[in-house]
Amino acid sequence: MSLHAASDDPIVRPFMLTGGRTQPMHDGLRIETQLYAAPAALSAPLRFEARRIVELCQAPRSIADLASALRVPLGVVRVIVADLITEGFVLVDQVPGELSTMLIERIRDRVRAI
């Protein structure tokens, strides 16, 4: 039995990425939640997906954007992001008002790509 997908990327089970947890420690993370990395996050000793999320969040990104970029389920990204928020490495962008049509369409496209 092969541990690699047809594209030759290693298969990692989602529960391995979250330490077996299915619920985020930080509540209220929606797919459109905009996140950005704290200034010191790039120098933090983070591993694998957490490191990649911090790298991607140098500019504000949504949960949907991150899930699409990492090619992992939304629930997995929520758990990892919640850990990063709790540790102070990722911050929630408090965007007042409604989301723009362009942002909603981009989020829709990212969710479809997953």
Side-chain angles (χ1 to χ4, degrees):
M1 182 190 306
S2 173
L3 294 177
H4 296 281
S7 67
D8 225 15
D9 290 335
I11 297 174
V12 178
R13 302 283 180 211
F15 67 86
M16 295 294 292
L17 302 176
T18 63
R21 290 179 297 121
T22 59
Q23 295 297 315
M25 294 188 304
H26 181 75
D27 206 13
L29 295 174
R30 300 169 49 131
I31 63 171
E32 70 274 9
T33 300
Q34 295 291 298
L35 308 160
Y36 62 97
L42 279 177
S43 61
L46 300 173
R47 300 177 62 201
F48 310 113
E49 285 74 19
R51 162 75 47 210
R52 187 73 181 118
I53 288 170
V54 166
E55 291 168 353
L56 290 168
C57 286
Q58 294 304 298
R61 303 272 182 168
S62 70
I63 298 281
D65 287 335
L66 295 171
S68 176
L70 296 171
R71 298 168 59 193
V72 298
L74 286 165
V76 171
V77 172
R78 281 190 183 118
V79 170
I80 297 169
V81 164
D83 291 347
L84 290 168
I85 290 170
T86 300
E87 295 167 354
F89 297 129
V90 170
L91 307 168
V92 176
D93 191 5
Q94 303 297 332
V95 179
E98 294 189 18
L99 300 174
S100 70
T101 303
M102 187 172 78
L103 178 59
I104 292 170
E105 289 172 351
R106 190 178 88 205
I107 292 169
R108 178 201 62 206
D109 294 342
R110 297 292 196 267
V111 170
R112 284 183 180 163
I114 299 172

